[in-house]
Amino acid sequence: MPFLPSIVKLLNANRIKQIEHFRKHPVDVQNQVLLRIIKTAIPTEWGRKYSFQSIRSYTDFQSRVPVTNYEELLPYIERMRRGEKNIAWPGEIKWFAKSSGTTSSKSKFIPISKESLWGCHYQAAKDILTLYAVNNPETKVFTGKALTLGGSNRINMSDNKSIYGDLSAVLIWNAPFYIEFVRTPRQEIALIEDFEQKLELITKTTVSQNVTSLSGVPSWYLTLIRHVLAYTGKSNLLEVWPNLEVFFHGGISFTPYREIYRKLIPGGQMHYMETYNASEGFFGIQDDPGRSDMLLMLDYGIFYEFIPADRLKSGEAQPCPLTEVKEGVNYAIVISTNGGLWRYLIGDTIVFTSTDPYRFRISGRTRHFINAFGEEVIVENADKALEAACKGTGAIITDYTAGPVYMGETSRGTHEWLIEFEQPPCDTDKFTILLDEELKALNSDYEAKRFKDINLVRPIVRPVPVGTFKLWLKENNKLGGQNKIPRLSNDRDFLEEIYKYAGFGKDPAR
């Protein structure tokens, strides 16, 4: 067994035992997390408001503390950003992770405490490497550089009491000094705000290095990889970095990008390991390379609750703890954290694939779906259906978005898909048919609405020019970092925006 992985496993042997412990005793571990963060927050304004001092059980917590969203927490967060202490977590919060605004058009600022930074985000980074080494005992990933593609940070100019940036920037800025010896590019390049300038400098400084791992969002890495290949004149990434062996990816589904990466990084040496992190916390790691789901990480200072996604609209559904979740149900996630978020609805949805241990896959977002006709199509449905259509037509997708086409006086409703193809389908009509049929197979509500074309007719697939989505991101100051294209919308607002950048002029669906 190689020397370095053996040392890593030796140093992390205790951590591996801890992971095995929460796999086997998830409820005990989660109860301990809840009581610990409640006890810590007793002297805060939030703790006094909800009498944390007298909370002794989950039942007490559930009955006393309300479920919250960002808008409800905003007054408290604004006070924390102005430097007020002991609001929702002890002490002063200096750092805030700026959300890309995927759940709303308004930016969100998520508090990052020292406890969440070190006990959640950095602990997860160590766990990823530990689990990867365990699953790949012959790895040489530790002999080279880890390439990270991060965002930017800037001082809050309102009163200079807090600092914010996207999550990757916060993590890069606060990382221990020794990380600079194993990470590339160096910090000053990684934190450049201008994404295109950063792309140039990352390329120039890393092509001659021994890069063994990548870490980040698949869509943005695709942009970097293409830039590196154009700069070097190489045909695939292994000709640039021959020892590259793993991509730790997250942020968006990897499914639409899988075939592109296989072309750009050919052969069997490349591994792909999915992670699930957000500004609010780090939640899951793909611990078993033979499975496509992730292990729910239960000891990062986050207490989890879940609401069946189909009950969110009623406003009456109460969150349930891990003990009550069932496999195959689409759940919205509610978290209480060591960063001062309490029963916070983060906007993501997951489906449990196992409850022993607790494993899951990401299914979408609470506001990213199409339900204009009662069809309840979620992002997970879309990704799988597109994957099937691509396999059947030889297509490769770069980006996509979809939304409804409303019923008219003489027309029935449908869905419209704007898709940027890396490789167009051999037959667009066949692609559309396969997409439609797979959605029917995956989603019974969609199938019912499509029955005999009574409510919905076959969807419209409209290819857009290469670079369309990147142009939209650039024009909206969303290049780089963790910004993502909204995959599904329940209205036509985003579709109509993309029309302008695709050169379609007015909405052709109208």
Side-chain angles (χ1 to χ4, degrees), residues 253-272:
S253 171
F254 192 62
T255 299
Y257 300 96
R258 196 175 304 278
E259 289 304 316
I260 303 177
Y261 275 84
R262 283 175 181 166
K263 288 178 62 178
L264 297 175
I265 312 174
Q269 77 179 55
M270 193 65 182
H271 298 87
Y272 297 92

Side-chain angles (χ1 to χ4, degrees), residues 195 307 320-321 413 432 462 482:
F195 182 74
I307 302 176
C320 66
T432 305
R462 204 180 303 279
Q482 296 172 299

Side-chain angles (χ1 to χ4, degrees), residues 212-490:
T212 56
S213 70
L214 310 176
S215 179
V217 179
S219 56
W220 292 115
Y221 257 100
L222 187 58
T223 302
L224 175 62
I225 290 170
R226 286 169 172 161
H227 196 273
V228 167
L229 295 180
Y231 178 83
T232 59
K234 303 298 185 182
S235 61
N236 70 71
L237 208 56
L238 294 181
E239 293 178 0
V240 182
W241 298 312
N243 296 318
L244 181 65
E245 64 170 89
V246 60
F247 182 17
F248 303 112
H249 61 86
I252 59 175
S253 171
F254 192 62
T255 299
Y257 300 96
R258 196 175 304 278
E259 289 304 316
I260 303 177
Y261 275 84
R262 283 175 181 166
K263 288 178 62 178
L264 297 175
I265 312 174
Q269 77 179 55
M270 193 65 182
H271 298 87
Y272 297 92
M273 188 170 175
E274 186 173 9
T275 62
Y276 175 25
N277 67 317
S279 299
E280 295 86 353
F282 205 112
F283 309 129
I285 299 173
Q286 186 181 1
D287 65 318
D288 184 344
R291 301 177 63 103
S292 60
D293 49 13
M294 288 178 279
L295 180 70
L296 188 66
M297 307 304 287
L298 300 177
D299 63 351
Y300 286 169
I302 300 173
F303 180 76
Y304 295 95
E305 298 175 272
F306 305 90
I307 302 176
D310 60 0
R311 299 181 188 174
L312 277 176
K313 294 178 184 177
S314 67
E316 299 175 356
Q318 282 295 316
C320 66
L322 273 179
T323 52
E324 297 178 22
V325 300
K326 298 178 181 179
E327 295 177 19
V329 176
N330 195 34
Y331 288 104
I333 309 172
V334 178
I335 58 172
S336 299
T337 77
N338 52 7
L341 300 176
W342 298 102
R343 303 198 86 190
Y344 178 75
L345 190 63
I346 67 173
D348 289 348
T349 58
I350 65 172
V351 173
F352 282 97
T353 55
S354 167
T355 55
D356 185 20
Y358 285 95
R359 287 195 171 96
F360 68 94
R361 62 177 185 269
I362 301 169
S363 54
R365 296 188 63 81
T366 57
R367 300 188 191 182
H368 283 196
F369 57 86
I370 308 177
N371 192 36
F373 312 100
E375 66 274 45
E376 289 284 4
V377 173
I378 60 176
V379 173
E380 184 185 31
N381 300 155
D383 285 340
K384 288 183 176 180
L386 288 169
E387 182 179 30
C390 285
K391 286 182 178 178
T393 61
I396 299 176
I397 289 174
T398 301
D399 258 316
Y400 76 88
T401 192
V405 177
Y406 300 116
M407 296 176 178
E409 290 184 14
T410 59
S411 61
R412 283 161 288 185
T414 187
H415 293 169
E416 183 176 10
W417 298 74
L418 302 185
I419 302 177
E420 186 175 316
F421 288 102
E422 166 86 5
Q423 182 172 306
C426 60
D427 184 330
T428 303
D429 287 339
K430 181 180 179 182
F431 181 95
T432 305
I433 292 169
L434 290 174
L435 171 66
D436 185 41
E437 292 302 317
E438 188 67 14
L439 283 172
K440 290 178 186 177
L442 292 167
N443 186 315
S444 59
D445 289 324
Y446 179 84
E447 182 183 36
K449 301 304 180 293
R450 282 284 291 115
F451 182 68
K452 293 185 177 181
D453 291 349
I454 294 173
N455 288 307
L456 290 178
V457 296
R458 184 178 295 163
I460 301 165
V461 170
R462 204 180 303 279
V464 300
V466 173
T468 294
F469 289 102
K470 182 180 178 182
L471 181 59
W472 177 83
L473 288 162
K474 182 178 181 179
E475 292 297 316
N476 287 273
N477 297 314
K478 292 179 178 288
L479 275 180
Q482 296 172 299
N483 297 303
K484 299 178 280 287
I485 297 295
R487 296 304 197 194
L488 303 179
S489 302
N490 206 35

